[in-house]
């Protein structure tokens, strides 16, 4: 199936035009999308008025779905869908209104972070509610040779308890999540399994310490990495429209949702559906 690809920023992102995701996409096209995704970090499809079933079916063409570890945020009818919303859920404030408000990759506080996620926009506030992305390829490439060598030998600890917005959640759910997700380690430099390019595997939200270093020794390195991975020239900022779908490759980009649109006005609503793919590709 023919489609065209348009770069969205210098560092990352492509808009894909010409595909209707409510239809079954043929395998050669899926392979071409997979290649574009791995190279560009995320793909944007606009005007996709798709049902949850179609969203799930499109996702499954890329591999197996990942059951989300934050298991109390799932869509009641479609457990494959994680609902990112500030709408009330079961009459209570939704905890997913705080999803991703610091720079991060998804699920790196587990041993097997996901391969990618597909976020579909259902409802947007009058202003704000954007999502930012940054390229971890660029972050690696722009390090000096000396720093590449040093970081290439290190592992970092990823700890869910490091997430700063936990104070906005209920103590019971924080306890549940922290107990379920003890700290894990990942190398600070990883190779993307498809492009074979190196990425700087750092998540400001959860990377809490360099393995084998004291907190005091780690912190200046973490501060540098937080600043470096989010340099403006490595980023793209997406202003959502209803029925946009963004598919990001969690192995080479970080992302974040600035906490802005509902700070002063709780009637501003943002509602998104997300599917998640397991790390290993089919
Ligand atoms: C996520 C996430 C950000 C957003 O779903 O993993 O970080 O903009 N979402 O909703
Ligand atoms: Mn996220």
């Amino acid at each position: 199936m023919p489609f065209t690809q348009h770069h969205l920023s210098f560092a990352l992102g492509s808009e894909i035009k010409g595909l209707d995701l409510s239809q079954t996409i043929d395998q050669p096209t899926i392979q071409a999308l997979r290649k574009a995704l791995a190279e560009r970090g995320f793909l944007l499809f606009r005007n996709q008025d798709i049902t949850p079933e179609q969203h799930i079916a499109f996702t499954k063409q890329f591999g197996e779905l990942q059951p989300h570890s934050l298991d109390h945020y799932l869509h009641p009818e479609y457990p494959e869908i994680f609902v990112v919303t500030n709408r009330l859920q079961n009459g209570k404030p939704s905890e997913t209104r705080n999803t991703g408000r610091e720079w991060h990759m998804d699920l790196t506080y587990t041993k097997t972070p996901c391969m990618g996620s597909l976020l579909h926009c259902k409802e947007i506030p009058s202003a704000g509610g954007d999502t930012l992305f940054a390229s971890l390829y660029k972050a690696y490439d722009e390090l000096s040779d000396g720093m590449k060598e040093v970081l290439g030998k290190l592992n970092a600890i990823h700890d869910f308890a490091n997430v700063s917005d936990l104070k906005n959640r209920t103590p019971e759910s924080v306890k549940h999540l922290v107990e379920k997700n003890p700290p894990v380690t990942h190398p600070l430099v990883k190779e993307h399994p498809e492009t074979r390019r190196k990425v700087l595997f750092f998540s400001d939200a959860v990377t809490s310490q360099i393995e084998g270093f004291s907190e005091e020794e780690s912190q200046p390195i973490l501060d540098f990495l937080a600043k470096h991975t989010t340099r403006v020239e490595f980023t793209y900022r997406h202003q959502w429209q209803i029925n946009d779908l963004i598919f990001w490759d969690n192995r080479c980009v970080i992302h974040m949702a600035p906490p802005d649109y509902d700070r002063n006005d709780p009637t501003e609503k943002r509602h998104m559906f997300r599917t998640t793919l397991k790390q290993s590709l089919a």
Side-chain angles (χ1 to χ4, degrees):
M1 291 169 177
F3 66 81
T4 57
Q5 188 181 336
H6 310 263
H7 288 188
L8 287 167
S9 78
F10 173 74
L12 78 171
S14 281
E15 181 175 353
I16 302 295
K17 291 187 186 172
L19 294 179
D20 173 358
L21 304 187
S22 69
Q23 307 297 313
T24 305
I25 309 287
D26 62 43
Q27 265 309 311
T29 307
I30 294 292
Q31 294 313 328
L33 290 175
R34 178 173 282 175
K35 185 163 180 287
L37 174 73
E39 282 166 2
R40 295 296 298 165
F42 75 86
L43 304 177
L44 164 67
F45 304 84
R46 291 217 189 256
N47 304 313
Q48 302 295 332
D49 189 6
I50 52 171
T51 63
E53 287 92 347
Q54 289 163 340
H55 183 173
I56 294 164
F58 178 62
T59 308
K60 281 186 174 163
Q61 287 195 274
F62 292 88
E64 227 181 301
L65 293 181
Q66 163 102 38
H68 204 282
S69 79
L70 306 183
D71 48 17
H72 53 299
Y73 301 151
L74 305 180
H75 192 295
E77 286 162 62
Y78 303 97
E80 299 91 339
I81 289 184
F82 175 69
V83 184
V84 180
T85 188
N86 68 340
R87 289 204 158 279
L88 294 181
Q89 283 194 306
N90 308 320
K92 291 196 216 133
S94 158
E95 293 201 338
T96 63
R97 70 187 187 283
N98 294 318
T99 299
R101 291 190 164 187
E102 294 171 278
W103 285 102
H104 67 285
M105 294 165 272
D106 292 329
L107 301 177
T108 66
Y109 51 84
T110 69
K111 288 202 178 77
T112 50
C114 52
M115 173 268 183
S117 288
L118 295 86
L119 193 62
H120 187 224
C121 178
K122 313 294 287 181
E123 194 175 3
I124 40 170
S126 56
D130 299 348
T131 306
L132 282 80
F133 296 89
S135 167
L136 295 175
Y137 291 137
K138 284 272 186 268
Y140 179 79
D141 292 346
E142 298 276 331
L143 293 168
S144 65
D145 290 345
M147 196 62 166
K148 282 179 182 158
E149 201 182 322
V150 170
L151 297 183
K153 296 190 189 118
L154 300 177
N155 292 317
I157 298 169
H158 291 234
D159 186 356
F160 186 79
N162 200 57
V163 172
S164 67
D165 81 5
L166 293 183
K167 59 185 178 306
N168 298 326
R169 307 188 191 193
T170 63
E172 305 83 70
S173 84
V174 171
K175 188 167 178 281
H176 168 75
L177 293 169
V178 169
E179 276 172 10
K180 218 176 142 193
N181 298 289
V184 296
T185 63
H186 293 287
L188 258 179
V189 177
K190 285 195 186 188
E191 193 181 83
H192 190 289
E194 290 175 57
T195 59
R196 299 284 165 205
R197 289 179 64 189
K198 288 192 171 156
V199 297
L200 185 48
F201 201 81
F202 173 80
S203 164
D204 191 30
V206 303
T207 311
S208 58
Q209 204 162 332
I210 309 290
E211 191 180 44
F213 284 39
S214 70
E215 250 181 81
E216 226 180 350
E217 291 162 343
S218 286
Q219 201 52 50
I221 305 175
L222 300 180
D223 290 345
F224 163 73
L225 293 175
K227 194 168 153 208
H228 177 74
T229 50
T230 58
R231 274 164 55 180
V232 169
E233 63 272 34
F234 303 159
T235 67
Y236 166 78
R237 180 172 187 138
H238 189 63
Q239 276 185 296
W240 292 93
Q241 294 173 9
I242 289 171
N243 287 329
D244 282 353
L245 183 139
I246 287 189
F247 183 177
W248 66 83
D249 185 330
N250 198 51
R251 303 163 301 181
C252 59
V253 301
I254 45 175
H255 59 281
M256 68 101 77
D260 52 15
Y261 60 96
D262 60 354
R263 282 177 97 92
N264 305 323
D265 183 356
T267 64
E268 289 281 2
K269 294 297 171 213
R270 182 179 190 268
H271 196 66
M272 320 282 270
F273 284 176
R274 181 182 126 189
T275 51
T276 306
L277 282 160
K278 269 196 182 162
Q279 188 177 52
S280 56
L281 287 173

